[in-house]
Amino acid sequence: MASPALISDTDQWKALQAHVGAIHKTHLRDLMADADRCKAMTAEFEGVFLDYARQQATTETVDKLFKLAEAAKLKEKIEKMFNGDKINSTENRSVLHVALRAPRDAVINSDGVNVVPKVWSVKDKIKQFSETFRSGSWVGATGKPLTNVVSVGIGGSFLGPLFVHTALQTDPEAAESAKGRQLRFLANVDPVDVARSIKDLDPETTLVVVVSKTFTTAETMLNARTIKEWIVSSLGPQAVSKHMIAVSTNLKLVKEFGIDPNNAFAFWDWVGGRYSVCSAVGVLPLSLQYGFPIVQKFLEGASSIDNHFRTASFEKNIPVLLGLLSVWNVSFLGYPARAILPYSQALEKLAPHIQQLSMESNGKGVSIDGVPLPYEAGEIDFGEPGTNGQHSFYQLIHQGRVIPCDFIGVIKSQQPVYLKGETVSNHDELMSNFFAQPDALAYGKTPEQLRSENVSENLIPHKTFKGNRPSLSFLLSSLSAYEIGQLLAIYEHRIAVQGFIWGINSFDQWGVELGKSLASRVRKQLHASRMEGKPVEGFNPSSASLLARYLAVEPSTPYDTTVLPKV
Ligand code: F6P
């Protein structure tokens, strides 16, 4: 039987490969002089404006990318996702995070059953629970209302909610709703993270939400047991029902853990962990902090992009354009990384969330049919808010390696500040950098320019910027819950587009399993050595010697009594 076709075997892929030479002959300095090209390389939906004129691409490149999309059956793949087809074939699952933000009357089927009513029944339960909680009617074991929430979870059960929480914190409407409350996250199994998450909190006024799709993740379950102990040792075992609630697809294990099933909030296996922020994973802790109506606006923002993604023509479709340009940068121009550079401190946790979303989704070595890929898929995502990044790693981006950048700017700041007498407002100062950096990357600075500035000859090589470094710019009208939802969905769909073109399964994550199973072998060894004095056995010489060195030092905790953090 012939092996399934790879996208790299198609004429459309080869046409793009052949086109690279022509692009290498251009410089963004010249491409940017073409006003028609600049105008053509934009897209807008609601308040989201995308300018991709600073990509190393011409309108011909984009046309060729649309042809590649056709060859990859992108339209059909998008439809299959929205239709609930089991496109996550290695786990035999639908991929329906779009159903989590669909309107109440939408019909989205998985296994022939409309999932939208289930989604809304959980959202209704969250709305009711969060109203009771926030009104102070839900009281803890000692009769006090609870004002602090610690959300315990890792990976997709942490990064998306953290991103949204951080983005909402300084939005005036959200901040007003959150007055007097705290939402914290505990993710790492490091006891230092436990200490930081409960520092200065009183169990009497704290609610813990254990968030885990599987309810088996080693880090989350040990952290959950630790926080349970923190509550029980202070308030007694009966306090658990008032101070611990859960979000999971595995309600059986939630009950076995000792959490009241009435206080468990479900989601479903057709929601991937890293795509789960719009399920109870994010909606519950965020509603406890900000109230359900604000979270609903976030969901509506995401839903608006879902509609745009499904219905807009590819020429105007922001996630499609972004996904195709990323494929161009990675697979044809050979740039393996992407920098995510929001000019908004509120978006400081966007890059960590996109790291998981993108790298866990697209970091694959075989096609969806299991055929080894003759091309690289996935990319290395990293980022920091500008201008902090400018004073850190931008040096490399300007004069070292070529890293395509996403610049994200907001027209209206969440927190306007102006000092009378200053040249510009604080936000305009920030945005001056947002507008300047993409041009610095694109145009660079030539030796001739430097000479005309009388720069001494020995410094010319050091001060020269070759330019021709690609970026794209997003301009959002503002940054309220709605736009935060839009931004999230744009990245989710962009990453799916990349995976659909590369022909991989962007919705499984087998690559995380091997490390987990090796850690469990080490855990057994540490237990046997600590408890029974057993020697280290069955490891390679390097690991054996590292383990022996670790075990040679007395442990900082005795193994026969419970010890909790002291800060
Ligand atoms: O890191 C692997 C992973 O399975 C992620 O995909 C997931 O988001 C995370 O672990 C947490 O899993 P869970 O929500 O089941 O605890």
Side-chain angles (χ1 to χ4, degrees):
M1 206 175 76
S3 57
L6 290 167
I7 189 67
S8 55
D9 295 333
T10 62
D11 291 344
Q12 292 83 346
W13 181 278
K14 288 173 191 159
L16 277 158
Q17 277 177 325
H19 176 65
V20 168
I23 289 299
H24 279 325
K25 286 191 196 122
T26 65
H27 193 290
L28 277 170
R29 232 176 264 144
D30 306 316
L31 293 179
M32 292 297 291
D34 180 344
D36 291 340
R37 174 184 168 276
C38 285
K39 197 167 170 223
M41 290 188 145
T42 60
E44 186 171 9
F45 174 69
E46 293 185 348
V48 184
F49 186 76
L50 168 69
D51 182 338
Y52 57 98
R54 288 170 193 77
Q55 290 287 299
Q56 282 181 293
T58 57
T59 47
E60 190 190 341
T61 320
V62 178
D63 283 344
K64 287 186 186 305
L65 286 166
F66 290 145
K67 295 207 172 88
L68 184 72
E70 224 172 90
K73 300 199 174 3
L74 179 61
K75 184 85 199 140
E76 291 87 330
K77 287 177 181 174
I78 294 170
E79 267 314 292
K80 280 185 178 178
M81 182 175 90
F82 278 90
N83 283 335
D85 284 18
K86 300 208 169 169
I87 59 170
N88 176 359
S89 52
T90 61
E91 296 180 308
N92 195 30
R93 289 175 181 169
S94 309
V95 175
L96 281 179
H97 44 282
V98 291
L100 301 169
R101 50 245 189 168
R104 213 181 264 277
D105 57 0
V107 177
I108 302 178
N109 290 320
S110 175
D111 277 327
V113 178
N114 181 12
V115 298
V116 178
K118 289 189 206 184
V119 168
W120 274 94
S121 86
V122 174
K123 279 200 265 199
D124 289 339
K125 185 173 163 180
I126 293 175
K127 181 171 183 286
Q128 202 189 13
F129 184 87
S130 57
E131 279 167 4
T132 311
F133 178 82
R134 289 168 56 81
S135 70
S137 329
W138 179 278
V139 291
T142 58
K144 289 189 181 169
L146 311 182
T147 49
N148 308 311
V149 173
V150 179
S151 183
V152 182
I154 198 164
S157 295
F158 158 59
L159 291 162
L162 176 71
F163 154 58
V164 180
H165 170 52
T166 312
L168 284 174
Q169 251 170 344
T170 39
D171 169 64
E173 189 192 8
E176 183 61 33
S177 309
K179 257 196 185 144
R181 308 186 166 277
Q182 280 193 74
L183 171 59
R184 296 189 188 181
F185 293 88
L186 168 55
N188 197 341
V189 74
D190 185 344
V192 172
D193 206 16
V194 178
R196 287 153 83 123
S197 71
I198 57 175
K199 187 173 173 1
D200 300 329
L201 290 189
D202 188 338
E204 266 190 299
T205 51
T206 304
L207 179 75
V208 176
V209 191
V210 183
V211 185
S212 175
K213 180 173 171 179
T214 53
F215 233 70
T216 58
T217 301
E219 294 90 337
T220 299
M221 296 328 295
L222 181 55
N223 277 339
R225 292 194 293 278
T226 308
I227 295 289
K228 186 179 180 186
E229 187 59 36
W230 176 68
I231 288 167
V232 168
S233 60
S234 164
L235 304 172
Q238 78 296 340
V240 171
S241 64
K242 286 290 176 191
H243 290 264
M244 291 191 87
I245 63 175
V247 177
S248 186
T249 58
N250 197 334
L251 299 180
K252 185 169 166 277
L253 290 186
V254 170
K255 191 171 173 208
E256 281 170 28
F257 182 86
I259 289 174
D260 183 346
N262 293 319
N263 302 333
F265 296 81
F267 68 116
W268 307 273
D269 67 8
W270 39 263
V271 183
R274 55 195 173 273
Y275 295 89
S276 67
V277 57
C278 295
S279 73
V281 165
V283 173
L284 178 60
L286 294 166
S287 297
L288 296 174
Q289 178 71 359
Y290 298 104
F292 183 80
I294 287 185
V295 181
Q296 176 55 19
K297 285 186 196 163
F298 157 74
L299 297 174
E300 283 164 9
S303 177
S304 79
I305 294 294
D306 296 340
N307 283 332
H308 165 72
F309 178 50
R310 191 176 190 182
T311 58
S313 67
F314 284 179
E315 291 76 13
K316 295 189 177 143
N317 195 314
I318 293 175
V320 167
L321 287 164
L322 291 169
L324 292 174
L325 290 165
S326 291
V327 170
W328 170 242
N329 285 326
V330 174
S331 300
F332 297 95
L333 299 183
Y335 303 140
R338 169 172 62 197
I340 297 162
L341 309 169
Y343 279 67
S344 162
Q345 198 61 30
L347 297 176
E348 72 170 312
K349 296 295 177 191
L350 175 65
H353 177 51
I354 301 308
Q355 277 175 349
Q356 187 202 12
L357 199 57
S358 165
M359 292 160 85
E360 198 166 91
S361 295
N362 289 340
K364 308 286 163 65
V366 296
S367 76
I368 196 158
D369 303 303
V371 180
L373 297 178
Y375 47 87
E376 302 277 357
E379 68 215 325
I380 303 152
D381 290 279
F382 71 100
E384 273 292 319
T387 59
N388 295 7
Q390 290 174 204
H391 293 274
S392 164
F393 52 80
Y394 277 36
Q395 165 66 41
L396 179 138
I397 297 178
H398 281 290
Q399 287 187 312
R401 290 163 180 266
V402 179
I403 299 183
C405 298
D406 291 358
F407 288 96
I408 305 165
V410 180
I411 295 177
K412 283 184 99 138
S413 174
Q414 288 181 337
Q415 296 289 330
V417 173
Y418 176 66
L419 305 184
K420 195 170 165 213
E422 289 285 342
T423 321
V424 289
S425 71
N426 296 35
H427 186 65
D428 282 350
E429 175 66 24
L430 170 72
M431 292 300 283
S432 303
N433 291 280
F434 166 84
F435 292 110
Q437 289 290 335
D439 278 344
L441 289 168
Y443 289 79
K445 194 159 188 182
T446 63
E448 293 70 40
Q449 285 173 298
L450 291 165
R451 281 191 192 104
S452 73
E453 292 170 8
N454 296 324
V455 172
S456 65
E457 226 22 67
N458 64 320
L459 284 180
I460 291 208
H462 300 281
K463 291 194 161 187
T464 298
F465 292 72
K466 285 189 194 146
N468 207 24
R469 287 159 189 258
S471 69
L472 50 85
S473 302
F474 282 109
L475 206 45
L476 308 178
S477 53
S478 58
L479 195 63
S480 69
Y482 191 84
E483 290 81 19
I484 296 164
Q486 289 186 310
L487 194 58
L488 172 96
I490 285 173
Y491 272 92
E492 285 179 346
H493 296 324
R494 170 200 208 165
I495 287 157
V497 167
Q498 290 176 239
F500 288 149
I501 300 289
W502 280 320
I504 58 178
N505 184 352
S506 298
F507 306 104
D508 62 10
Q509 57 285 315
W510 300 106
V512 302
E513 295 304 325
L514 179 59
K516 285 186 197 171
S517 64
L518 293 187
S520 101
R521 248 181 83 201
V522 178
R523 186 184 303 122
K524 278 190 195 123
Q525 177 70 59
L526 292 177
H527 178 85
S529 298
R530 297 268 197 227
M531 302 299 276
E532 298 151 35
K534 293 246 172 85
V536 173
E537 259 172 10
F539 292 87
N540 62 53
S542 166
S543 298
S545 127
L546 284 167
L547 280 165
R549 181 178 276 263
Y550 179 69
L551 286 162
V553 180
E554 266 300 287
S556 43
T557 50
Y559 258 40
D560 55 2
T561 181
T562 295
V563 176
L564 289 173
K566 291 187 182 58
V567 291

